[in-house]
Amino acid sequence: MSDPVHYFGVRHHGPGCARSLLAAFEALKPDCVLIEGPPEADGLVAAVLEADMTPPVALLTHGVEDASRAVYHPFASFSPEWQALRWAAGAGVPARFIDLPVGVSLALEQAGQLNSEDDKPDGNEPDAEQAGAQQVGAQQAGDQQAQPVSADAPDPVPSRRGDPLDWFARAAGYADGEAWWNHMVEERGDGEDLFAAIGEAMATLRAESGDDETLDPKTPRARREVLREAHMRQCIRAARKEGFERIAVVCGAWHLGGLQADITMKADQALLKGLPKLKVSSTWVPWTYRHLARESGYGAGIHSPGWYEHLWQSGLDGERRPRAIGWLARVARLMRERDLDCSSAHLIEASRLADTLAALRQRPAPGLDELHEATRAVMTLGDEAVLGFIRDELVIGDRLGQVPAGVPTVPLQRDLEQMQKSLRMKPEATQKTLDLDLRQPNDLARSHLLHRLRLIDLPWGEIARTGKSSRGTFHELWSLQWQPEFALRLIEASRWGQSVAQAATAAVAERCGGERTLGALAELVDRVLLADLPQAVIVASRALQDHAAVTGDADQLLAALPPLANVFRYGNVRQTDAAMVGHVFDGLVTRAAISLPLAGDSLDDAAAAQCRDRVLGAQSAIRLRDPGRQTEPSTQWRAAIAQLAAREGAHALLRGLCTRLLLDDGLITAEDAGTAISLHLSRAAEPGKAAAWLDGFLNRNAVVLLHHDGVWPLVDAWLSGLDEEHFIRVLPLVRRTFAHFDAAERRDLGQRAARKGGGTAMVPARAEWDEARAALPLPLLRAMLGVDA
């Protein structure tokens, strides 16, 4: 009796393998399909035929008790495993995953029996083993940086001697195994005959490379492979016992030798006996082509998912020449959308060049290498910027998959999906700019949602730091881009609550217990206010008060004021209650005022510069809170500034700064400021301290020099009176002070210095007056103004 098991060794996400697999299935008509993948997901197979299921998607398998332990298994439309699942579901044939259960793999890793660094399956392909240490040649898209090999190769176990496929490539005249596999397999569709050739080649390669000898269960990586292949053999034996007549096994090509090896059931049972297992749960989640790409950090291992999709779609009809023409047409369309010159002549010449390159290289049809070189030479004339967006949008692509609403999800994810639908915020893989007008209820609700998601470590949106900003106008400018890993973060965040608001509030409460600085707690209060979470504001404010009550650190107290002051700016637009944090802010101001005078003592120059920034930030915050400067905390703050300005032991930089702040607030007159300058810039003053005081007083702003006539001569007299030694000492400090002025201010200062004595008058002190000439325009002026003589 013939063996009912038929093996199909594939490359994960290989369009040629997928096309050949469908042809082989139509010829074989299997009555059972076994696929290398997570057995925990067997109950989700039927969903592949639902109308709302659109690849790329991924099976997410995560620990029930610890959701951070998770594995992804992505699928694209051109993945052989995806096509096998769809074929089996459509034909009513049982389809099962046969890889080592994820629960076992995670438990072994947790127990330290598998190497979590080198061997952890990060779950980005149905065969999750990675070959991060290997390097291959340049990408098909022309990227010259070498990339780590992963499962887009025909599932090789890493070898210290390099990629085993490179041996085939060198024998056939190809640059590397990647290019050889693409041209020999992925651009063909030979049905079951192709898999017979793959099986023979990979079995020989595995035996000749010596990698079978490395599969020693004592080493972590080999232990994983031994256990996986043992479990798959056991699943195949179980299918045989069930009496299936035609069993199709779809696995990574490298595993063919292991699955067909002459190993007894007893030996496999001994290997698998007593393995630990974690409780896990599986679901479908959307995926993106960018996460299938190798450089995304996920080991899916395909250089060019967009190109593979093109191969899959254009190769279904068996025609090869339209595949190249269609690709160049897409490139031309993309260039024309950006108003770049690309005529029909460009397309014709690029196509001819690609065909010529393929012929010179003895290849049946142009591949991505040839099309890329033709595009570079003819259509972009070597412009790397154009090649960059062609690679991003076509070679990789920005497709985001979709899963049916009925797949298992946590309540938090369902709540977010409902909010996205009601607020008309569709998740997209491409980066999108969202300009929110906070005066509009719907935009305000969108802002609240985005801020809440950031509190649960799900940064769907990043707020802009330039242009229109939430701090300066009625607008918030967000940059949105949905990432597939957000699905796992939602599962992890579900421990905080079943809705976004509940989860964000609980996350804030948990974070408050771990924060140790007033500045961080104040930032948290600001973020919570932006998220419109009243209960979380109470919790965070109480934590801030409690921490402030036991600290006298002026630096922390000053750092906490600017974030809290944001609520007093446009609070009515955001519909936040400023009174909720007003009393907290006032208490911090009082404590900061008490600590400030002593904070300036015994500081070096770096610490004094940091303290200056803190004082300026606190000054701005207090002005926001109390523009009229009438409250008691404001009065206490001004008194503290005056004390620091007069304090002998304080750093000269801070004393000069406080004098300037008193002048700006009108608490001292220009004459008082002139007296202070005369004192600190006198000949008796130590030059270094004098320069530091001047730096603080000018406060990176030349207005006082330009418009206070009493200040200029004092500074001028001080500099002019320095001897050579002192002048050389203070010159770097003075130059640093003036370097902070903008170009217009420095130009005005130079013009004033060029005048005699630095005065403001540009006319001679005694001007000649010609009364006769002055009377000449009087008749005309009377006529224009209608004034009688």
Side-chain angles (χ1 to χ4, degrees):
M1 181 178 178
S2 61
D3 189 352
V5 181
H6 300 258
Y7 294 91
F8 299 93
V10 299
R11 170 199 234 174
H12 306 303
H13 315 307
C17 289
R19 189 164 49 250
S20 297
L21 186 65
L22 285 182
F25 274 19
E26 290 299 325
L28 179 63
K29 303 293 184 183
D31 54 1
C32 177
V33 177
L34 305 180
I35 302 171
E36 183 184 321
E40 293 91 343
D42 282 348
L44 302 173
V45 170
V48 300
L49 290 181
E50 295 191 24
D52 293 339
M53 178 70 85
T54 306
V57 294
L59 283 169
L60 167 60
T61 307
H62 61 90
V64 173
E65 297 181 356
D66 183 3
S68 64
R69 295 187 174 276
V71 176
Y72 296 97
H73 293 83
F75 299 87
S77 59
F78 46 79
S79 300
E81 296 86 354
W82 177 259
Q83 293 302 325
L85 288 172
R86 287 183 57 85
W87 188 94
V93 171
R96 305 169 186 169
F97 290 114
I98 61 173
D99 206 348
L100 185 69
V102 174
V104 172
S105 181
L106 293 179
L108 289 172
E109 180 185 309
Q110 187 179 44
Q113 299 182 38
L114 293 181
N115 190 320
S116 61
E117 295 296 327
D118 299 328
D119 308 312
K120 176 183 176 180
D122 62 6
N124 297 294
E125 65 275 331
D127 180 6
E129 63 196 16
Q130 303 301 305
Q134 286 185 284
Q135 300 292 324
V136 297
Q139 293 189 25
Q140 299 175 22
D143 186 352
Q144 298 303 313
Q145 294 182 352
Q147 299 291 338
V149 174
S150 185
D152 68 332
D155 203 15
V157 173
S159 168
R160 286 172 294 183
R161 292 174 292 279
D163 182 359
L165 286 181
D166 286 345
W167 300 347
F168 285 145
R170 285 193 291 269
Y174 287 83
D176 51 49
E178 170 78 12
W180 175 84
W181 183 271
N182 277 330
H183 285 280
M184 298 301 296
V185 177
E186 302 308 338
E187 295 180 7
R188 299 175 58 173
D190 299 331
E192 194 163 5
D193 293 339
L194 174 66
F195 294 108
I198 290 175
E200 181 179 354
M202 298 309 295
T204 302
L205 186 62
R206 181 165 169 165
E208 294 296 329
S209 67
D211 277 344
D212 272 349
E213 298 174 3
T214 68
L215 295 184
D216 181 357
K218 296 180 181 179
T219 63
R221 180 166 190 87
R223 175 172 169 78
R224 179 188 299 280
E225 302 310 317
V226 167
L227 292 177
R228 293 178 64 203
E229 291 182 353
H231 188 272
M232 286 191 275
R233 287 192 295 266
Q234 288 289 75
C235 292
I236 294 170
R237 293 185 184 108
R240 277 197 178 104
K241 287 184 178 180
E242 293 183 47
F244 292 112
E245 297 179 358
R246 296 175 302 279
I247 303 172
V249 178
V250 181
C251 64
W254 187 262
H255 288 302
L256 289 173
L259 299 189
Q260 296 175 290
D262 187 15
I263 299 177
T264 65
M265 179 188 301
K266 185 177 180 180
D268 286 340
Q269 288 175 339
L271 279 173
L272 299 172
K273 184 178 180 180
L275 293 178
K277 189 173 184 179
L278 292 180
K279 186 177 181 181
V280 298
S281 178
S282 293
T283 187
W284 289 104
V285 296
W287 207 246
T288 69
Y289 278 176
R290 295 190 183 280
H291 285 76
L292 282 174
R294 177 165 301 166
E295 60 269 28
S296 68
Y298 292 80
I302 19 180
H303 297 305
S304 45
W307 166 249
Y308 274 15
E309 182 187 63
H310 180 74
L311 285 179
W312 168 251
Q313 293 177 345
S314 62
L316 293 178
D317 57 6
E319 295 291 338
R320 288 179 177 170
R321 180 166 294 275
R323 174 188 303 162
I325 298 296
W327 180 261
L328 292 175
R330 293 177 63 188
V331 172
R333 188 180 306 113
L334 190 65
M335 294 178 64
R336 290 166 182 167
E337 289 174 354
R338 286 161 174 74
D339 297 326
L340 297 174
D341 182 26
C342 186
S343 64
S344 299
H346 285 98
L347 281 172
I348 294 171
E349 290 304 318
S351 177
R352 288 175 176 172
L353 179 56
D355 286 341
T356 303
L357 288 172
L360 287 172
R361 294 166 181 173
Q362 298 182 351
R363 298 176 182 175
L368 186 57
D369 286 334
E370 291 75 30
L371 292 172
H372 177 74
E373 292 174 29
T375 300
R376 181 200 297 269
V378 178
M379 300 175 72
T380 72
L381 302 178
D383 189 341
E384 293 296 332
V386 179
L387 292 171
F389 71 70
I390 289 174
R391 179 176 179 275
D392 288 342
E393 299 203 22
L394 293 185
V395 178
I396 293 180
D398 55 11
R399 186 181 295 277
L400 173 66
Q402 179 181 349
V403 299
V407 300
T409 57
V410 294
L412 179 60
Q413 183 174 348
R414 290 195 293 270
D415 180 66
L416 175 58
E417 291 172 352
Q418 181 60 39
M419 296 183 72
Q420 288 171 334
K421 183 177 180 180
S422 62
L423 296 175
R424 299 187 296 279
M425 299 176 67
K426 183 179 179 181
E428 296 178 357
T430 54
Q431 195 170 51
K432 176 184 177 182
T433 299
L434 186 64
D435 188 0
L436 301 180
D437 184 345
L438 301 178
R439 295 167 294 185
Q440 303 299 322
N442 191 68
D443 281 3
L444 184 61
R446 290 176 172 181
S447 173
H448 291 160
L449 174 61
L450 292 172
H451 282 294
R452 290 172 183 178
L453 291 176
R454 291 179 63 81
L455 288 172
I456 60 174
D457 296 325
L458 201 155
W460 180 16
E462 294 288 344
I463 195 164
R465 301 300 179 188
T466 59
K468 293 179 179 179
S469 169
S470 63
R471 301 298 187 223
T473 70
F474 295 123
H475 291 265
E476 268 187 349
L477 199 63
W478 290 85
S479 177
L480 304 185
Q481 188 173 24
W482 187 263
Q483 303 291 345
E485 61 265 27
F486 290 166
L488 178 58
R489 295 197 184 187
L490 283 171
I491 294 172
E492 294 175 349
S494 63
R495 63 189 175 91
W496 286 317
Q498 298 185 358
S499 69
V500 175
Q502 290 176 354
T505 300
V508 169
E510 181 177 299
R511 196 166 301 161
C512 286
E515 293 292 356
R516 292 293 179 265
T517 63
L518 287 177
L521 286 170
E523 289 280 359
L524 186 58
V525 172
D526 182 34
R527 294 174 60 191
V528 171
L529 285 166
L530 296 177
D532 189 32
L533 297 170
Q535 293 300 318
V537 171
I538 295 173
V539 173
S541 299
R542 184 180 299 115
L544 181 61
Q545 283 181 301
D546 293 343
H547 197 69
V550 295
T551 183
D553 187 349
D555 187 67
Q556 287 198 43
L557 291 166
L558 294 173
L561 295 177
L564 289 180
N566 287 325
V567 70
F568 305 113
R569 180 184 296 171
Y570 306 108
N572 57 333
V573 177
R574 300 181 185 277
Q575 299 179 13
T576 55
D577 185 2
M580 297 178 69
V581 295
H583 67 285
V584 179
F585 183 89
D586 293 341
L588 289 176
V589 171
T590 299
R591 297 185 63 84
I594 296 173
S595 304
L596 180 60
L598 295 175
D601 292 350
S602 304
L603 297 180
D604 59 19
D605 292 341
Q610 180 180 353
C611 188
R612 170 171 64 179
D613 294 338
R614 297 291 197 201
V615 171
L616 289 173
Q619 176 82 353
S620 299
I622 293 170
R623 287 176 178 173
L624 277 176
R625 165 63 170 150
D626 182 21
R629 299 166 179 78
Q630 300 296 322
T631 64
E632 182 178 354
S634 294
T635 303
Q636 294 170 336
W637 173 257
R638 293 197 298 271
I641 291 293
Q643 291 180 42
L644 184 55
R647 188 174 181 84
E648 291 294 336
H651 195 281
L653 176 71
L654 299 178
R655 296 183 67 186
L657 171 67
C658 291
T659 304
R660 175 62 182 275
L661 295 179
L662 294 173
L663 177 64
D664 290 345
D665 283 347
L667 299 177
I668 62 174
T669 64
E671 289 75 13
D672 296 331
T675 301
I677 294 174
S678 300
L679 175 63
H680 291 283
L681 301 186
S682 66
R683 289 182 178 272
E686 199 277 322
K689 292 183 178 180
W693 190 95
L694 179 62
D695 186 15
F697 180 77
L698 294 179
N699 193 25
R700 303 173 182 175
N701 191 323
V703 173
V704 70
L705 277 175
L706 289 171
H707 300 290
H708 285 258
D709 291 338
V711 174
W712 180 278
L714 292 171
V715 176
D716 180 59
W718 171 64
L719 284 172
S720 301
L722 293 173
D723 58 32
E724 182 178 2
E725 180 185 355
H726 285 169
F727 181 78
I728 293 175
R729 286 177 57 190
V730 303
L731 181 60
L733 300 175
V734 176
R735 290 188 63 181
R736 183 180 63 187
T737 300
F738 279 69
H740 289 296
F741 301 157
D742 60 37
E745 289 176 333
R746 290 197 297 270
R747 183 177 61 252
D748 292 343
L749 288 172
Q751 291 175 353
R752 182 167 187 176
R755 303 169 198 159
K756 185 177 180 180
T760 58
M762 292 297 292
V763 297
R766 295 181 179 180
E768 297 294 335
W769 179 258
D770 189 338
E771 189 171 348
R773 293 184 63 189
L776 291 177
L778 291 180
L780 178 61
L781 291 174
R782 292 191 186 101
M784 293 175 61
L785 299 175
V787 178
D788 294 335

